[in-house]
Amino acid sequence: MLLTKGLTDHLASIESPDATLPGRGQLWLTIYCNKAGLLETLTYNNVCSVEQFEDFVIGFNQASPLFSIVDVGIGKEAADAKVKECLRVFTRFPQTSKVFFGGSHDNGYTSTLTHLHNEGFSDKIILLRGYKQLAYEIKGLDLPNIEIEGLFMKKKLYTNSSKKGSSPNQRTQSPNEKAQSISQSMPPPDIEKYRSKSSTPSMMDSGSPTRSLKHVDFDQVLSKRASCSLSLSELSP
């Protein structure tokens, strides 16, 4: 496993007795997470499928009796509370030689690390970098740190809150596309109502000239209709 090899190689480089005596030192590894939230984020960013994630969790837990992925459930500080308490307890154990801490990107752990530093346990703590840069406040503690190439992703992932905004693959619409979508979303006008309004003269429009009503000679109209009917009757057999 990449993580196990990276940690043992580092212990060997600092001439730790735990690295040279395999029967003496053991690696205890625990990951605390909100499993449902993590799965949703990974699938949303197309990192893996649901089946691949479940296979990874099972494989990780079965890789060693001391390897565990713990689902802490939903809650903003649920995982943080577990990690902080784990740091306090295991760092103080006299049997613990080194603690590799993988949360060096988050300033929220500064107070816990500061307390351990003030108690004289800073020589036990080694920061396991996930990003190139450490969190600003944690960097000020001047703790030793290592980076295992290929262990962590280099870029941050979109979280669930990003769904309210734009997705990673969403394309910005051009002004013409926006205008077209707006026009398509507008309801069609009432054509008959529009025609009736447009054909009705406006009597309140003072800017338009007054139109006089044309006198109609009904006798002339009737005589024309009579002549037409007469002509038609003459043509009939």
Side-chain angles (χ1 to χ4, degrees):
M1 182 181 288
L2 182 62
L3 177 59
T4 305
K5 184 179 184 304
L7 297 181
T8 53
D9 289 348
H10 177 74
L11 291 175
S13 66
I14 61 176
E15 298 180 354
S16 172
D18 296 327
T20 57
L21 298 176
R24 181 177 177 181
Q26 289 182 307
L27 182 62
W28 190 315
L29 179 59
T30 305
I31 297 176
Y32 298 101
C33 67
N34 172 12
K35 185 179 176 182
L38 178 59
L39 174 60
E40 187 174 359
T41 300
L42 292 174
T43 54
Y44 176 67
N45 288 270
N46 297 321
V47 175
C48 65
S49 64
V50 177
E51 293 77 12
Q52 290 173 334
F53 178 77
E54 294 294 344
D55 290 342
F56 171 80
V57 173
I58 294 174
F60 187 92
N61 287 329
Q62 294 180 350
S64 170
L66 299 179
F67 284 17
S68 302
I69 294 181
V70 180
D71 182 12
V72 300
I74 60 175
K76 184 178 180 181
E77 304 295 336
D80 290 343
K82 294 283 188 181
V83 173
K84 290 176 181 178
E85 195 61 27
C86 186
L87 266 176
R88 295 189 188 101
V89 173
F90 280 91
T91 304
R92 292 189 177 105
F93 279 167
Q95 296 87 352
T96 302
S97 174
K98 298 293 180 183
V99 175
F100 294 89
F101 175 59
S104 59
H105 62 284
D106 191 346
N107 281 319
Y109 298 107
T110 304
S111 60
T112 302
L113 294 172
T114 301
H115 286 309
L116 294 172
H117 175 76
N118 294 336
E119 293 176 7
F121 295 112
S122 57
D123 60 328
K124 284 188 174 184
I125 302 173
I126 300 175
L127 303 179
L128 185 59
R129 292 203 313 270
Y131 301 116
K132 289 293 183 182
Q133 299 295 330
L134 301 175
Y136 179 77
E137 296 179 6
I138 293 180
K139 185 178 180 181
L141 298 176
D142 198 24
L143 296 172
N145 61 87
I146 64 170
E147 179 182 4
I148 300 177
E149 189 65 31
L151 181 61
F152 295 111
M153 298 180 65
K154 297 297 183 183
K155 63 179 182 179
K156 294 183 179 181
L157 300 178
Y158 288 85
T159 58
N160 299 340
S161 59
S162 303
K163 293 181 179 180
K164 299 179 181 179
S166 58
S167 62
N169 299 323
Q170 184 176 357
R171 183 176 62 87
T172 304
Q173 286 185 325
S174 64
N176 292 335
E177 291 174 335
K178 289 182 179 179
Q180 184 178 3
S181 62
I182 293 175
S183 63
Q184 290 177 352
S185 62
M186 293 177 62
D190 191 341
I191 299 177
E192 295 299 329
K193 185 183 295 185
Y194 175 79
R195 287 178 177 175
S196 62
K197 288 184 178 180
S198 61
S199 60
T200 304
S202 176
M203 304 301 293
M204 301 299 294
D205 188 3
S206 59
S208 60
T210 305
R211 298 176 61 184
S212 59
L213 295 176
K214 184 178 180 181
H215 177 70
V216 179
D217 189 350
F218 290 99
D219 294 335
Q220 185 178 1
V221 174
L222 291 175
S223 63
K224 288 183 178 180
R225 293 184 62 183
S227 62
C228 290
S229 60
L230 178 61
S231 300
L232 291 174
S233 61
E234 290 177 350
L235 293 175
S236 60

